[in-house]
């Protein structure tokens, strides 16, 4: 396995038009088979960072790279290597789960899948068979989230961006989700996940970054964190103890 | 990629809950209007035929060639099924005689005012109002609705080129709306065949072009909806904008065009023209009287020194000369007055034409006007319908009158009475000839004004161009906006 970073932020900064500095000179990378968990409170700049990777917004300075490709210089090329699950997965409510999958997976450039492939992946992410051909209108947030993850899995991209994927999930779904992430990591995916959830992050992440007011104030690997009290660290960072 | 987006958009429209209901209602409305149109057309044809026969009968039974008058009926045109235009406002009948100028009277609306109250909802109206509304309602949230749903974000997390997406969106919405709208149109063609509406190839071409214009018009509103959906972040805002724009284009601009033109170029009323003519005539006669007095003074001047006899002899010798001179002057006055009247009429017509032109130019800022003008021009129920008929009638009138005069001279009949006294049958007063024996088989027939497909196209081409231009520019606007649209 190639060990070059698949996701890489290089001195990334973003100042919005209104002057707010949402991301300030942030650098990190995620290698294949790694999960990077970005912790931080509301407004820390997590979503902004992920949006720069997806070229939804342009960085003010620095660069976000996917598989070595700058996402704002060559967005179409860069996005071929990444799948995305947003905080609120929103799909077409007048379409069934399978229809939604089929559309977004095709947009992702994958046209070879059969209905059976969709079925298998939906089962893998934990969506019961009865729901596969139901319109999304009546789906709970958790069910929609599962569909979104299925889309990401089917895109079969080497890198995955997850923006607060566990927010709003019940404990059981949350647990299943962590297991799923683990299996994706074992497949060699590079995963960047933003979250508020310290416990889940600690459980699964290979590297944990803490963001505060646009700054990546801490970045430690699992080994570096072993023996440390992450909750305490987090609280301290959030309180600005180390500044 | 493009085909994925297009098929998805098609499904999105077809699976949307509002789709089936709206399209069933619109299709029924359109089909109903065509059925009513066919029915009215066939009634009009029957009326045309019976009345024409009646006129022929009356002519044959005329008292003599002298009193022979023809009546010409405007022939119903199957195109009126789709576009009523001015058809119901223009008179349907005109007398042809030696004494009276041609004048179309008895319009449908004047004969049956109920039709004017419940104006005929024709294809052109349904397209102008209902189709455009539909197009707007299905597209006003094309882009910002997806952004609100969050699906735009997920879409562009993939390597989807924006240009392809917006083109796919447009093509998908276009097919998704045009196909369902084309279905009732095709059904209406079947109805025409089923009811045996007599259609020549010219008319088929006109109908096909009319449908093309309708689709082009709908295309504009699809582009407009998509454009407005890229202008705002919130679909509730673009919904409002779309409705306001729609109201302006469909209802306000066309009428405002006419009103503004009426204010910029004022056309005097008939009464004003009459008053001007009267005034001129009065002035002219007063002037004539003035010069007359002067003249008589001058004529009398040399007689001051004459004796009574000399004076009378002088006047007698000059009498004819003076009379002729006065007559000439008087005639000149009449000529001047007639000329002035003609000039006033011409002015009136020119100003009317100018006003009409300006009104059309102004109202064409709205695609709705462009479509309606195109539709009327294609159907031949345009504003020139009346003058086309009047021209044809004016051409026919001398032909008919010449024929009548010729016949009258041939038969030497003055149209007077003949009184016959017979010991067997008694006294018989005869109006010149037997009833119903006037042989009008050689009478020159009126040819209805031709309105060919190329005539129709020639006058509709500008509106086709405008509709195309409007559609293209709004789509270009949507395209450019979308390239920088915030998909978050
Ligand atoms: N479109 C925007 N315009 C201006 N400021 C923004 C915009 N989006 C986010 N921000 C600001 O940037 C900061 C970071 O926001 P965000 O990245 O959404 O944080 P997080 O996802 O960590 O909660 C916040 O202060 C937020 O108010
Ligand atoms: Mg966020």
């Amino acid at each position: 396995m190639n060990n070059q970073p698949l996701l890489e932020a290089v001195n990334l900064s973003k100042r919005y038009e209104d002057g707010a500095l949402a991301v300030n000179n942030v650098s990190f990378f995620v290698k294949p088979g790694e999960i990077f968990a970005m912790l931080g409170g509301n407004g820390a700049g997590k979503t902004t960072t992920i949006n720069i990777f997806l070229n939804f917004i342009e960085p003010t300075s620095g660069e976000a790279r996917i598989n070595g490709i700058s996402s704002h210089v060559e967005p179409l090329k860069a996005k071929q290597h990444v799948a995305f699950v947003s905080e609120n997965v929103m799909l077409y409510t007048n379409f069934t789960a399978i229809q939604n999958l089929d559309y977004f997976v095709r947009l992702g450039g994958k046209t070879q899948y059969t209905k059976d492939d969709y079925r298998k992946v939906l089962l893998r992410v934990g969506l019961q068979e009865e729901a596969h051909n139901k319109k999304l209108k009546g789906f709970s947030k958790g069910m929609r989230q599962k569909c979104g993850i299925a889309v990401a899995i089917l895109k079969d991209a080497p890198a995955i961006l997850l923006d607060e994927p566990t927010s709003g999930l019940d404990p059981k779904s949350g647990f299943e989700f962590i297991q799923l992430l683990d299996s994706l990591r074992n497949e060699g995916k590079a995963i960047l996940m933003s979250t508020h959830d310290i416990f889940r992050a600690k459980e699964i992440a290979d590297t944990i970054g803490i963001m505060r007011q646009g700054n990546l104030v801490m970045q430690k690997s699992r080994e570096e964190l072993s023996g440390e009290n992450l909750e305490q660290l987090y609280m301290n960072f959030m309180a600005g103890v180390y500044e | 990629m493009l085909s994925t987006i297009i098929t998805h958009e098609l499904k999105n429209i077809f699976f949307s809950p509002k789709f089936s209901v709206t399209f069933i209602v619109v299709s029924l409305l359109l089909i109903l209007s065509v059925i009513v149109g066919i029915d009215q057309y066939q009634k009009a044809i029957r009326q045309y035929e019976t009345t024409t026969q009646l006129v022929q009968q009356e002519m044959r039974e005329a008292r003599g060639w002298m009193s022979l008058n023809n009546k010409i009926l405007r022939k119903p045109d199957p195109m009126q099924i789709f576009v009523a235009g001015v058809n119901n406002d223009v008179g349907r009948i005109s007398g042809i005689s030696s004494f009276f100028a041609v004048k179309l009277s008895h319009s449908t609306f004047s004969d049956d005012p109920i039709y004017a109250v419940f104006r005929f909802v024709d294809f052109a109206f349904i397209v102008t109002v209902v189709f455009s509304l539909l197009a707007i309602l299905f597209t006003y949230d094309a882009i910002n609705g997806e952004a609100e749903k969050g699906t735009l974000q997920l879409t562009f997390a993939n390597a989807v080129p924006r240009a392809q997406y917006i083109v796919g969106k447009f093509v998908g919405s276009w097919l998704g709306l045009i196909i369902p709208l084309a279905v009732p149109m095709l059904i209406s063609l079947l109805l025409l065949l089923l009811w045996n509406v007599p259609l020549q190839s010219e008319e088929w071409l006109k109908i096909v072009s009319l449908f093309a214009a309708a689709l082009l018009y709908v295309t504009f509103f699809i582009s407009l909806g998509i454009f407005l959906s890229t202008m705002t972040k919130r679909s509730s805002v673009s919904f409002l904008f779309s409705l306001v724009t729609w109201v302006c284009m469909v209802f306000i601009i066309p009428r405002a065009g006419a009103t503004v033109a009426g204010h910029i170029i004022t056309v005097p009323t008939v009464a004003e023209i009459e008053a001007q003519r009267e005034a001129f005539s009065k002035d002219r006669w007063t002037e004539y009287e003035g010069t007359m007095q002067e003249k008589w003074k001058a004529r009398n001047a040399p007689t001051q020194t004459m004796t009574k006899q000399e004076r009378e002899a002088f006047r007698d010798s000059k009498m004819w000369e003076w009379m002729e001179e006065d007559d000439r002057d008087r005639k000149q006055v009449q000529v001047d007055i007639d000329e002035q009247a003609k000039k006033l009429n011409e002015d009136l017509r020119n100003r009317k034409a100018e006003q009409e032109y300006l009104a059309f130019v102004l109202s064409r800022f709205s695609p709705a006007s462009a479509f309606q003008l195109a539709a009327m021009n294609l159907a031949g129920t345009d504003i020139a319908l009346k003058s086309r008929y009047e021209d044809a009638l004016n051409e026919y009138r001398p032909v008919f009158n010449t024929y009548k005069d010729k016949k009258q001279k041939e038969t030497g009949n003055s149209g007077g009475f003949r009184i016959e006294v017979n010991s067997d049958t008694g006294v018989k007063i005869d109006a010149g000839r037997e009833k119903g024996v006037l042989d009008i088989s050689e009478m020159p027939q009126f040819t209805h004004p031709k309105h060919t497909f190329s005539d129709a196209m020639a006058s509709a081409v500008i509106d086709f161009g405008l509709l195309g231009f409007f559609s293209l520019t709004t789509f270009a606007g949507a395209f450019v906006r979308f390239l920088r649209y915030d998909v978050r």
Side-chain angles (χ1 to χ4, degrees), chain A residues 16 51 54 56-57 76 79-80 82 84 86 90-92 94-95 99 103-104 106-108 135 155, chain B residues 1 4-5 8 11-12 15-16 146 149-151 153-161 165 487-488:
Chain A
Y16 281 109
N51 282 345
L54 292 165
F56 291 163
I57 46 182
L76 290 181
K79 283 191 230 178
Q80 285 172 354
V82 72
F84 169 58
S86 78
M90 289 303 176
L91 302 163
Y92 293 95
N94 52 334
F95 283 18
Q99 285 172 331
Y103 175 57
F104 285 108
R106 276 169 192 282
L107 286 185
K135 291 196 174 175
K155 186 173 177 183
Chain B
M1 176 76 72
T4 304
I5 298 168
H8 175 258
K11 283 191 210 152
N12 204 8
F15 294 156
S16 85
E146 299 253 359
K149 270 186 280 186
T151 44
Q153 208 182 28
L154 191 53
T155 300
F156 285 98
N158 294 300
V160 178
Y165 186 78
V487 300
R488 285 174 302 156

Side-chain angles (χ1 to χ4, degrees), chain A residues 41-48 87 163-164 194 196:
Chain A
N42 289 327
K46 306 182 294 292
T47 300
T48 303
E87 177 180 359
D163 194 4
E164 299 189 20
S194 85
H196 302 289

Side-chain angles (χ1 to χ4, degrees), chain B residues 399-447:
Chain B
V399 177
F400 174 78
N401 285 336
T402 313
Y403 162 80
K404 194 168 94 172
D405 290 347
K406 196 185 102 205
K407 275 294 186 189
Q408 197 203 333
K409 282 201 188 96
E410 270 173 27
T411 54
N413 184 287
S414 64
F417 292 96
R418 188 169 64 194
I419 302 174
E420 205 176 83
V421 184
N422 185 298
S423 54
D424 294 330
T425 55
V427 180
K428 189 171 153 197
I429 301 172
D430 189 24
R433 47 175 62 251
E434 300 286 336
K435 271 203 158 188
V437 295
L438 226 54
D439 178 13
I440 56 168
S441 58
E442 287 164 25
M443 185 179 82
Q445 294 297 310
F446 174 72
T447 38

Side-chain angles (χ1 to χ4, degrees), chain B residues 159-334:
Chain B
V160 178
R162 288 191 176 214
Q164 269 192 35
Y165 186 78
I166 187 84
V167 170
K169 195 90 187 162
F170 173 77
V171 175
S173 324
W174 192 82
L175 290 173
L177 290 168
I178 291 294
I179 294 171
L181 291 178
V183 170
M185 292 191 198
L186 293 176
I187 294 177
S188 68
L189 290 185
L190 280 181
L191 293 176
L192 292 179
L193 291 173
L194 224 62
W195 259 273
N196 277 324
V197 177
L199 293 169
Q200 312 295 313
S201 57
E202 292 264 310
E203 272 113 25
W204 284 111
L205 283 172
K206 286 183 192 174
I207 293 173
V208 169
S209 312
L210 177 64
F211 287 2
L215 298 185
L216 199 53
Y217 174 69
V218 174
T219 303
F220 165 74
F221 278 94
I222 292 171
S223 302
L224 180 71
I226 295 177
F227 173 64
L228 291 174
S229 80
T230 63
M231 290 299 288
T232 57
K233 280 231 65 119
R234 286 172 49 201
S235 60
S236 55
V237 178
S238 63
F239 177 72
L240 210 69
F241 273 137
S242 301
L243 267 192
V244 170
T245 316
W246 176 80
V247 169
C248 284
M249 289 189 164
V250 174
F251 295 110
I252 297 178
I253 299 177
R255 281 155 187 78
T259 312
V260 170
H263 279 285
I264 296 177
I265 298 175
T266 48
V267 173
T269 61
V270 178
E272 279 166 348
I273 293 285
E274 198 61 26
Q276 276 185 42
R277 224 191 47 191
E278 288 280 313
F280 180 82
S281 152
K282 209 170 134 204
D283 283 355
R284 200 64 189 78
W285 283 119
T286 319
E287 188 196 326
Y288 171 75
E289 271 164 31
T291 50
M292 224 46 186
Q293 274 175 12
E294 293 298 315
K295 261 189 189 156
W296 279 106
K297 244 185 226 159
R299 284 169 187 172
N300 283 333
T303 64
Q304 292 305 326
T305 55
M306 294 180 186
T307 65
K308 195 181 172 200
Q309 269 173 336
E310 279 173 335
R311 199 153 45 216
E312 267 166 21
F314 176 74
R315 279 183 182 157
D316 281 350
S317 72
K318 291 282 187 190
M319 201 51 149
W320 274 111
E321 192 188 316
W322 288 347
M323 258 172 70
E324 266 172 20
E325 197 185 326
D326 293 354
D327 201 41
R328 225 176 17 249
D329 288 353
R330 212 172 22 247
K331 275 188 180 142
Q332 188 55 49
V333 172
Q334 196 55 54

